[in-house]
Amino acid sequence: MSPDELKKRYEPKPTGKDLAYERQLWQARYSPCGRFLIACGYDATIQRWDVSGEEPKLLSPLTGHNGWVQCMAFAPQTGKLFTADSWGQVACWPYADESPQPVWRLPEAHDGWIRALAVSPDGQHVATSGNDQAIRIWNAADGKLHKEWKAPERLFSLCFHPDGKSLVSGDLKGLVRQWDVTEGKSVRELDASLLYQLDRIQECGGARHLAFDAEGKLLACAGQKKPGGGFATGTPCVLVFDWESGKLVREMPMGGEQDGFAYDAQFHPAGFVMCASCAFPGKGHVWFWKPDQEQAFYTSTKLPNGRTLSLHPDGRRLALLTSQAANGNGRQLKDGKYDGGSAKVQMLEFAADVG
Amino acid sequence: MNDAHLCRPWEHRLSRRRLLGTMAAGAMGAGALGGLLEPAIAEELAAGEKQVVFVWLDGGISQLESWDPKPNTEHGGPFRDIATSVPGIRFCELLEHSAKVAHHLAVVRSVHTQDNSHSAGVARINRGDPKNRGVVYPYLGSAVAKLLGPTSAKLPPYVWVKPYSGGFKADDAGFLGAKYGALALGDAKPPENLILNESVTPEENEARNDLRKFFNRRYASQRRPDWTDANSHVYDVAHKLMERMDLFDESQVPERDRERYGTHDLGRHMLMARRLIEAGVRFVKVNSYHWDSHGDNFNASQSLIPQFDKPFAALIEDLHDRGMLDNVLVIAMSEFGRTPKINSHVGRDHWPEAWSVAMAGAGLKRGLTVGKTNELGTFVDSQEYDVGHLFHTWFKALGVPPEKMEYDNNGQPLPVAHDDCWPIEEVLA
């Protein structure tokens, strides 16, 4: 399909049924069953919306985490949700229950901020890592430690290869490392160091997000090209690697050098990568790019502050999580109150014959 | 011999003409260097040998990721708080080492200042934000250099250890005149040309110096004395510093100290600060730039704050172990804190409303926090203290009673700190 044809077919349209939440969020993902949109973020709760009806309905939250909950992943086979927080806790939830209680929780799974969590393709294991550089593999059923080893650098991202044999990590220095899950050994390294920079005294950037395509042939790595300190400016960028050869097949920058991070990259079943960036408040793009094409076929600046994109199992609906927190120095009161920012999930959809 | 040559050892980035221009601007028409109304007190102070290490984190360290954490609250961010060596006082987990020396620290958590921009805030805070009297007040280092002078070691009274280039920084002195500016050691290195060229014998150097003095006297006879005073001053302190070239010999630094302070800029510079204080420098400022985390604040904090934390704790430990902490005032601060609100770029912006300053030594009480912010960390929930209060506190800790000490700016009496502020008695022993 040509870029024009792709754009005509896959340009998402707003549904006008956006979801608002009073606090900022890190992720919003549709559940594998399609009934829920589940989100986690700055208030240590897991929020659930039932999106099966005409109007989304906010359900009771999952509580018990601390700090930020930045990581979550589903096990479709078992109907479980795994979450991790910045104080080191990992939990397993029957997320579809009316008032879910954790199946298990590990308050001290890690020492501090858990940055990454991934569920194995067979749903049997959960991998976690973070600031303590430990990679730990847990039995999904009971939370018992299955295996652990140490990474040489602080990790930001994890994902399993669809074959289940390899775990892939992305670190602060932009190194993408393939691990043999059975042995806990590094197998090879892919170079995404374009996403890292030591800017004067500050280590900036990193491989912030990883995602495979369904067949495991391509790996997307999201972050910021030539990241800088202070304002954290750089070009939002997604790198796509050919998994077999380990070679970079496409650099997908979007926006200016003074923008921000690409926080999410997800492969659409049609083979293109859906990317979202959050630059300075009010800036950032959503862009779709087919790795074998020179340019993005769809770019929108009307969907700024994007954190995550999630495709509904029906293939038609697309949820874009955005942050709503203007920047500004000094005392800024809104109706006499200090506004700490909020989140909005923009509910989009593709054309009727897509999906 | 031309003017530029006269200035070269200290003014290697500034021509003599520029230096004198700076001095003139600093005087702001007052026409004379500031003097002390009560010189006897100044002598008394000098004998006290109080010293200062002033750590300036330029751009603004987040109070929430350092001295005043609010974990599990709306603006608290991802980090945990940790216990310190003082029961009941908790710091952010990024201050792992400082937490262990908290029993030596006094942290004011209720700092409320007036500027939310760097351009105005940096100078305003450094000058103590006094009432406007039509003069440019000195930075704290210059003020201390004036009020206390050099210690008995006779080394330059105000040394600034900073990244990048060095030189003589006259702007800090304000109306006091360039003489009270900072000798800046770029990257903790000695000033250019400080080391005598091997081809010049000590006798030749002495003869050369006599010739310089001769020309200086002739030059000075045609100019206002305060202008030429500064020029002579930098030569005098250069001579004194030449006697302490060992300070710049890193091979004399034990490996253990290098490890404890860290090999990054801030670690090396804070170690140099300790060595300068040990050598008898009155006031040492250590600067670190790039703390302005408008974006990705939490990763920035994780990268930056440990670079401060470890050497800061080592410095406190070392001063204590050497029995020097009773006489050395240590201050760590920025021009403001950072917004409680986390913007969409995951950054924190500028926040003068409610932030923290950490201090230790020189007779301050140890192991306490003063003031508090509300539960969300948005505003001060106790007596607010401005930088004028801090200046009063520091001067008092250094033995400078503000009610007895004021500058004489060519007949214009000027208080050393804001008239409407007062010392923070809670931290004064």
Side-chain angles (χ1 to χ4, degrees):
Chain A
M1 229 183 278
S2 72
D4 286 345
E5 289 170 325
L6 281 166
K7 182 178 180 182
K8 192 173 176 184
R9 185 165 174 77
Y10 290 108
E11 180 170 5
K13 306 289 184 190
T15 63
K17 295 179 179 176
D18 295 344
L19 303 178
Y21 185 64
E22 62 189 9
R23 298 285 299 278
Q24 292 190 69
L25 298 169
W26 270 113
Q27 291 198 49
R29 308 284 186 195
Y30 284 113
S31 62
C33 64
R35 187 182 151 201
F36 304 98
L37 182 78
I38 298 188
C40 60
Y42 289 18
D43 67 356
T45 67
I46 316 297
Q47 297 296 328
R48 305 178 299 159
W49 285 270
D50 184 334
V51 292
S52 60
E54 191 63 28
E55 296 294 329
K57 185 181 169 189
L58 184 63
L59 305 174
S60 61
L62 317 184
T63 59
H65 273 297
N66 295 295
W68 284 356
V69 182
Q70 203 169 9
C71 313
M72 62 179 208
F74 297 97
Q77 302 89 338
T78 58
K80 300 294 190 298
L81 171 73
F82 301 90
T83 55
D85 70 34
S86 63
W87 289 21
Q89 182 175 183
V90 178
C92 170
W93 309 88
Y95 64 86
D97 286 5
E98 189 175 335
S99 298
Q101 295 302 308
V103 178
W104 51 262
R105 69 164 78 232
L106 305 169
E108 296 178 354
H110 285 268
D111 182 7
W113 196 348
I114 299 175
R115 304 287 197 127
L117 180 152
V119 176
S120 62
D122 62 6
Q124 297 299 304
H125 295 105
V126 181
T128 55
S129 189
N131 281 357
D132 63 3
Q133 298 176 222
I135 295 176
R136 297 201 167 105
I137 311 290
W138 313 92
N139 289 330
D142 57 14
K144 284 189 177 159
L145 185 63
H146 174 68
K147 199 163 197 64
E148 68 176 325
W149 65 91
K150 197 93 169 177
E153 184 55 79
R154 189 195 319 158
L155 298 184
F156 281 137
S157 48
L158 287 172
C159 71
F160 278 94
H161 187 273
D163 69 9
K165 294 174 184 170
S166 294
L167 178 70
V168 184
S169 65
D171 72 19
L172 170 65
K173 299 278 175 60
L175 201 69
V176 174
R177 188 173 269 110
Q178 178 186 357
W179 302 90
D180 180 314
V181 178
T182 312
E183 299 294 325
K185 297 258 170 67
S186 175
V187 176
R188 64 171 172 162
E189 297 169 356
L190 278 60
D191 182 9
S193 58
L194 189 65
L195 305 179
Y196 164 81
Q197 181 170 236
L198 175 62
D199 183 16
R200 296 170 291 206
I201 62 170
Q202 184 182 336
E203 295 201 280
C204 307
R208 296 296 176 95
H209 178 79
L210 292 167
F212 276 104
D213 68 348
E215 295 177 322
K217 291 182 176 174
L218 296 172
L219 174 69
C221 177
Q224 188 182 51
K225 185 178 174 182
K226 293 182 182 172
F231 284 66
T233 52
T235 308
C237 188
V238 174
L239 305 177
V240 176
F241 294 90
D242 175 80
W243 182 245
E244 190 175 342
S245 69
K247 289 182 178 170
L248 180 67
V249 295
R250 185 64 62 194
E251 189 181 308
M252 300 176 172
M254 185 55 62
E257 293 178 354
Q258 301 297 310
D259 282 6
F261 284 94
Y263 279 111
D264 201 12
Q266 300 288 331
F267 280 92
H268 187 277
F272 58 86
V273 187
M274 303 182 295
C275 317
S277 70
C278 186
F280 266 91
K283 291 179 72 180
H285 296 70
V286 167
W287 70 104
F288 298 166
W289 195 320
K290 207 158 182 292
D292 60 2
Q293 295 179 351
E294 295 289 327
Q295 302 285 333
F297 68 80
Y298 167 76
T299 304
S300 173
T301 55
K302 294 179 179 173
L303 300 168
N305 303 339
R307 290 272 169 81
T308 58
L309 278 162
S310 180
L311 183 66
H312 191 274
D314 67 12
R316 264 198 81 202
R317 285 180 273 176
L318 183 66
L320 169 68
L321 170 65
T322 64
S323 163
Q324 308 292 312
N327 60 332
N329 300 326
R331 179 190 291 256
Q332 294 185 346
L333 301 180
K334 193 174 175 183
D335 301 327
K337 289 184 179 172
Y338 185 71
D339 174 26
S342 58
K344 184 165 79 171
V345 184
Q346 306 209 35
M347 309 298 271
L348 311 169
E349 62 183 17
F350 294 117
D353 61 341
V354 174
Chain B
M1 189 177 289
N2 59 33
D3 289 347
H5 177 77
L6 282 173
C7 294
R8 190 162 296 141
W10 296 91
E11 284 291 319
H12 57 271
R13 301 278 183 240
L14 295 173
S15 68
R16 180 182 183 131
R17 186 179 299 278
R18 195 170 155 205
L19 168 65
L20 296 179
T22 307
M23 290 164 58
M28 289 292 281
L33 297 176
L36 297 173
L37 288 183
E38 297 186 45
I41 294 175
E43 285 173 21
E44 190 181 308
L45 294 173
E49 303 288 13
K50 296 278 189 182
Q51 293 168 275
V52 182
V53 179
F54 184 70
V55 183
W56 180 261
L57 306 173
D58 194 86
I61 185 176
S62 167
Q63 69 282 4
L64 293 154
E65 276 71 63
S66 57
W67 309 110
D68 192 13
K70 301 288 181 182
N72 259 356
T73 65
E74 180 173 0
H75 313 296
F79 296 113
R80 299 168 290 183
D81 62 354
I82 53 172
T84 68
S85 57
V86 180
I89 295 180
R90 300 180 75 80
F91 295 158
C92 175
E93 62 178 307
L94 298 178
L95 289 178
E96 169 191 358
H97 297 278
S98 299
K100 292 172 184 162
V101 297
H103 54 289
H104 293 305
L105 304 181
V107 177
V108 181
R109 284 174 165 165
S110 53
V111 180
H112 172 92
T113 50
Q114 309 306 316
D115 255 304
N116 63 31
S117 76
H118 302 293
S119 55
V122 170
R124 201 162 167 173
I125 295 295
N126 273 284
R127 297 184 197 282
D129 197 15
K131 279 188 177 174
N132 183 5
R133 287 183 165 85
V135 299
V136 177
Y137 260 70
Y139 274 34
L140 183 63
S142 294
V144 171
K146 174 67 182 174
L147 296 167
L148 276 70
T151 66
S152 53
K154 301 297 181 194
L155 286 168
Y158 177 16
V159 178
W160 178 8
V161 186
K162 65 188 286 297
Y164 314 124
S165 65
F168 193 78
K169 308 292 184 186
D171 288 351
D172 283 16
F175 72 82
L176 293 178
K179 179 179 173 180
Y180 298 99
L183 168 65
L185 307 180
D187 196 27
K189 302 277 192 313
E192 267 178 43
N193 303 326
L194 186 67
I195 301 169
L196 196 62
N197 191 296
E198 285 177 5
S199 65
V200 181
T201 66
E203 293 75 23
E204 287 170 335
N205 186 50
E206 198 57 37
R208 191 172 65 166
N209 210 25
D210 288 344
L211 187 62
R212 179 184 66 79
K213 287 176 181 171
F214 170 76
F215 282 120
N216 255 10
R217 281 194 295 274
R218 201 171 67 173
Y219 179 84
S221 67
Q222 298 161 18
R223 286 162 178 82
R224 288 167 27 186
D226 50 301
W227 289 13
T228 52
D229 189 29
N231 240 5
S232 299
H233 170 76
V234 294
Y235 271 94
D236 293 342
V237 291
H239 263 273
K240 199 68 195 172
L241 198 61
M242 284 171 77
E243 295 169 11
R244 293 305 311 269
M245 288 306 294
D246 59 300
L247 287 169
F248 304 104
D249 180 1
E250 288 209 351
S251 70
Q252 296 192 21
V253 179
E255 181 58 35
R256 183 170 173 273
D257 278 356
R258 276 201 282 266
E259 191 280 322
R260 288 170 63 240
Y261 281 76
T263 54
H264 44 72
D265 285 359
L266 195 48
R268 289 187 301 106
H269 296 176
M270 284 170 72
L271 178 54
M272 174 55 92
R274 190 205 77 194
R275 298 175 72 215
L276 289 166
I277 288 290
E278 287 175 300
V281 173
R282 176 73 73 183
F283 188 104
V284 181
K285 176 162 77 171
V286 179
N287 234 95
S288 175
Y289 295 107
H290 317 302
W291 289 72
D292 194 19
S293 52
H294 288 277
D296 207 23
N297 170 76
F298 303 93
N299 289 307
S301 295
Q302 189 147 21
S303 177
L304 297 175
I305 291 178
Q307 294 182 52
F308 160 78
D309 173 51
K310 197 174 172 186
F312 179 74
L315 176 70
I316 298 293
E317 272 177 359
D318 285 353
L319 293 174
H320 172 68
D321 290 348
R322 287 159 171 75
M324 298 174 70
L325 199 54
D326 286 339
N327 281 323
V328 180
L329 174 64
V330 183
I331 303 163
M333 65 184 297
S334 302
E335 61 266 46
F336 34 61
R338 306 213 70 85
T339 49
K341 177 183 186 175
I342 300 161
N343 66 36
S344 288
H345 200 27
V346 203
R348 295 193 192 268
D349 301 307
H350 307 168
W351 192 247
E353 302 288 340
W355 52 290
S356 300
V357 171
M359 307 181 277
L364 296 184
K365 285 181 187 167
R366 299 185 183 199
L368 77 162
T369 58
V370 171
K372 61 175 185 172
T373 49
N374 62 22
E375 285 185 3
L376 294 177
T378 48
F379 299 103
V380 173
D381 196 21
S382 63
Q383 171 70 51
E384 293 174 345
Y385 291 119
D386 207 325
V387 69
H389 296 98
L390 293 169
F391 264 56
H392 276 280
T393 307
W394 298 331
F395 286 142
K396 190 160 184 181
L398 294 171
V400 183
E403 70 278 10
K404 292 184 181 174
M405 189 68 75
E406 49 189 6
Y407 302 115
D408 173 8
N409 183 34
N410 197 27
Q412 178 191 18
L414 294 169
V416 298
H418 197 294
D419 320 35
D420 296 339
C421 297
W422 59 90
I424 304 169
E425 294 295 341
E426 299 101 301
V427 300
L428 290 166

